[in-house]
Amino acid sequence: MLYRLDASQVANGVKNREFSAEEYIHQILERIEVVEPKVNALVTVNSKGAVEQARALDKKIRDGEAAGPLAGVAVSIKDNISTKGIRTTCASKMLDGYVPPYDATVVKRLQDAGAIVIGKANLDEFAMGSTTEFSRNGPTRNPWDISRVPGGSSGGSAASVAALECAISLGSDTGGSVRCPASFCSVVGLKPTYGLVSRYGLISYANSLEQVGPVGRTVADVAATLAAMAGQDDNDHTTAPGKPSYLVSKMPLRVGLVKEFVEDADPKVSKIVYSAYDTLEKEGCRCAEASMPSVQYALASYYTIAMAEASSNLARYDNVRYGFDMSPDGYEWNSYFAKSRSNFGEEVKRRIITGSYVLSSGYYGKYYLKAQQVRSLLRRELKSLFTQFDVLIGPTMPILPFPIGEKVDDPLKMYLVDVDTVVANLAGIPAISVPAGFSNNNLPIGLQFMADEFSEQTMFDAAYTFESVAKVQRSPDL
Ligand code: GLN
């Protein structure tokens, strides 16, 4: 069953000609047919393109040409990341039928490394949400319990990796959208340091907060995917110079447990986090409690900034330059514009309206600037903590995966689930979610590691130290 293999096993097998990329891709496509009716993780399956890419790669290998580090590996791409010739919709009516004329830099780099795009993954409309319920394509379901949410907004990415429809996936993380579904689906998900990965071709939600991040079933696969796509890009001037590589190994480090994160979590979650703390201590890490008092302002600050940026970014969708054909009766600008934009979903509209409000004169200082001050405060607190600790740990999500429909009508309840993830986005630091265990009723719980800017290597070492002894990795019965 080749579809069960992790990315590193696929790349080795293909390169050593133990099996062909084409055989593997065929098995992946069959697997997708079997599980997709249950999980609804993919909005487009690139069957023909994937088989063609696999054949081309097999030929290259037969001809003795070098194959990349991700040779043959099936990858799903969140549907807000541009893929040349493959429909990219952001799960929104606004981008119905939109086929990008170019690849995002991250997609191109993964393909150059040998990865094969198997399909596009479901998400909350324009990546705004935490459950994948705000998708025009219907909700993705958690592979561990299909009556529950997979997390979001990159729910399709995490669910497709957990359900063995691909070995790795790309999501985007503005306030936790890679880590939340990784935690809920028991896979590994990373948000890189701001500026490590190109955003060129990622359809913007809130530019100052977001990064594209990899999802995989092991820390090593996530590190290899990050290495393949990270580094400077002339098309994104926020990228930092250099091209990193990572070697994942066990390392006794200084670990701080963020007190505020565990205190507010569901006891079933904190129990697992405390036992992870003990595991790390047994592995020789120097563990202690850490405190970040300004965490209490993080969520309000995040949603203020994210909505402000969203209101500006989404102004471009007027159904003139992008989007579906509404067959308008006449082109009077105001009514046409209003009619077009009424096609956004409720959550997106809510954010555009709230975002415009916090930026309006009279309220700008009270809300937007205040939120930016919190951001500076958090950064300062973290800088000082990272002189004492190599990594900070805590729960990725304060709660267990909940039933579909439970929070969908209550925006505040929905926003609250992001308390532990938004901190890393506000501060621009890297964070990773690693499977930490399961509740009594077999629901996944994730452990989050955060490190200082551009300290991905240290974070991988800490995450791997835990992963290699905790041995939580397994797959759901589907
Ligand atoms: N749940 C958060 C939001 O709705 C995060 C989304 C994301 O990271 N894209 O804004």
Side-chain angles (χ1 to χ4, degrees):
M1 286 186 289
L2 298 176
Y3 65 81
R4 290 193 171 274
L5 300 180
D6 295 336
S8 61
Q9 296 167 325
V10 173
N12 284 334
V14 167
K15 281 194 262 192
N16 299 332
R17 297 176 65 177
E18 288 158 26
F19 50 86
S20 68
E22 192 181 343
E23 276 174 83
Y24 164 71
I25 290 296
H26 278 303
Q27 286 204 19
I28 285 280
L29 291 170
E30 278 165 29
R31 173 73 181 171
I32 290 174
E33 255 178 57
V34 175
V35 296
E36 205 37 32
K38 294 182 210 161
V39 289
N40 191 34
L42 301 174
V43 299
T44 304
V45 180
N46 181 34
S47 319
K48 197 164 157 268
V51 173
E52 279 166 13
Q53 269 184 52
R55 279 190 191 141
L57 177 68
D58 286 332
K59 179 171 180 325
K60 233 171 120 178
I61 292 171
R62 276 197 309 274
D63 293 348
E65 284 176 51
L70 298 174
V73 175
V75 56
S76 69
I77 308 282
K78 188 176 183 179
D79 210 27
N80 64 347
I81 301 176
S82 306
T83 41
K84 186 176 175 175
I86 308 174
R87 200 163 63 112
T88 301
T89 66
C90 289
S92 178
K93 182 166 185 199
M94 275 295 172
L95 284 175
D96 210 14
Y98 171 61
V99 179
Y102 68 101
D103 275 321
T105 300
V106 286
V107 171
K108 187 170 177 317
R109 288 188 179 171
L110 288 199
Q111 284 178 331
D112 289 348
I116 295 175
V117 175
I118 198 74
K120 302 299 297 281
N122 201 14
L123 68 158
D124 290 292
E125 184 176 4
F126 282 99
M128 297 175 185
S130 310
T131 59
T132 323
E133 290 168 291
F134 298 132
S135 163
R136 215 190 148 207
N137 314 297
T140 295
R141 293 169 178 276
N142 192 316
W144 293 91
D145 176 349
I146 58 169
S147 70
R148 291 176 189 262
V149 299
S153 63
S154 317
S157 290
S160 62
V161 171
L164 308 173
E165 296 178 281
C166 50
I168 50 173
S169 183
L170 292 188
S172 65
D173 192 311
T174 311
S177 275
V178 167
R179 290 161 288 153
C180 158
S183 171
F184 276 7
C185 295
S186 200
V187 290
V188 182
L190 166 89
K191 183 209 87 81
T193 300
Y194 189 81
L196 183 64
V197 173
S198 169
R199 285 180 296 108
Y200 180 70
L202 166 68
I203 298 173
S204 293
Y205 156 22
N207 323 38
S208 81
L209 298 159
E210 64 208 2
Q211 283 283 285
V212 173
V215 178
R217 290 189 290 270
T218 67
V219 173
D221 279 1
V222 162
T225 310
L226 180 66
M229 69 180 182
Q232 192 163 16
D233 176 17
D234 290 342
N235 286 322
D236 176 358
H237 295 290
T238 62
T239 50
K243 177 95 191 76
S245 59
Y246 306 102
L247 250 185
V248 176
S249 57
K250 267 174 93 167
M251 200 78 80
L253 294 157
R254 296 172 303 164
V255 176
L257 173 72
V258 183
K259 178 172 126 229
E260 290 79 3
F261 285 0
V262 257
E263 277 172 1
D264 292 338
D266 178 324
K268 296 186 206 72
V269 173
S270 355
K271 192 177 137 210
I272 295 279
V273 172
Y274 283 123
S275 93
Y277 178 92
D278 292 342
T279 304
L280 286 164
E281 204 159 42
K282 275 193 210 114
E283 288 307 297
C285 294
R286 259 202 287 143
C287 301
E289 208 170 68
S291 176
M292 278 179 65
S294 53
V295 156
Q296 59 180 310
Y297 310 116
L299 202 69
S301 160
Y302 166 77
Y303 272 99
T304 304
I305 295 169
M307 291 186 190
E309 292 185 19
S311 72
S312 150
N313 273 323
L314 270 58
R316 75 189 69 162
Y317 302 104
D318 50 15
N319 195 26
V320 175
R321 287 165 294 178
Y322 306 92
F324 59 98
D325 180 13
M326 289 184 55
S327 312
D329 14 322
Y331 280 96
E332 194 278 313
W333 194 84
N334 269 327
S335 58
Y336 181 70
F337 192 65
K339 198 171 156 198
S340 297
R341 288 173 66 80
S342 69
N343 283 289
F344 280 127
E346 288 304 303
E347 182 58 27
V348 173
K349 278 191 230 164
R350 179 179 298 120
R351 293 185 187 211
I352 293 174
I353 292 167
T354 317
S356 307
Y357 176 79
V358 300
L359 287 176
S360 60
S361 72
Y363 296 99
Y364 179 79
K366 193 170 168 193
Y367 295 111
Y368 185 72
L369 286 184
K370 200 85 200 153
Q372 295 289 8
Q373 282 174 331
V374 172
R375 211 167 170 175
S376 309
L377 199 66
L378 273 168
R379 280 212 176 104
R380 233 178 301 139
E381 264 180 33
L382 280 160
K383 270 282 165 227
S384 133
L385 282 173
F386 286 127
T387 60
Q388 296 162 254
F389 300 105
D390 300 307
V391 291
L392 296 172
I393 62 163
T396 308
M397 300 303 291
I399 46 168
L400 296 168
F402 45 90
I404 290 176
E406 189 183 279
K407 298 185 199 296
V408 78
D409 296 322
D410 189 334
L412 275 184
K413 270 196 195 145
M414 187 70 98
Y415 300 163
L416 276 171
V417 308
D418 300 330
V419 281
D420 301 337
T421 50
V422 296
V423 171
N425 303 79
L426 288 166
I429 59 169
I432 192 168
S433 180
V434 179
F438 291 85
S439 66
N440 297 340
N441 51 344
N442 204 32
L443 295 174
I445 294 166
L447 177 68
Q448 180 174 221
F449 292 81
M450 299 191 287
D452 203 356
E453 286 178 298
F454 298 104
S455 297
E456 271 78 0
Q457 179 63 66
T458 310
M459 198 172 73
F460 285 139
D461 289 338
Y464 179 74
T465 303
F466 175 73
E467 178 190 60
S468 60
V469 285
K471 298 215 180 348
V472 178
Q473 194 208 20
R474 56 184 159 102
S475 293
D477 297 323
L478 267 170

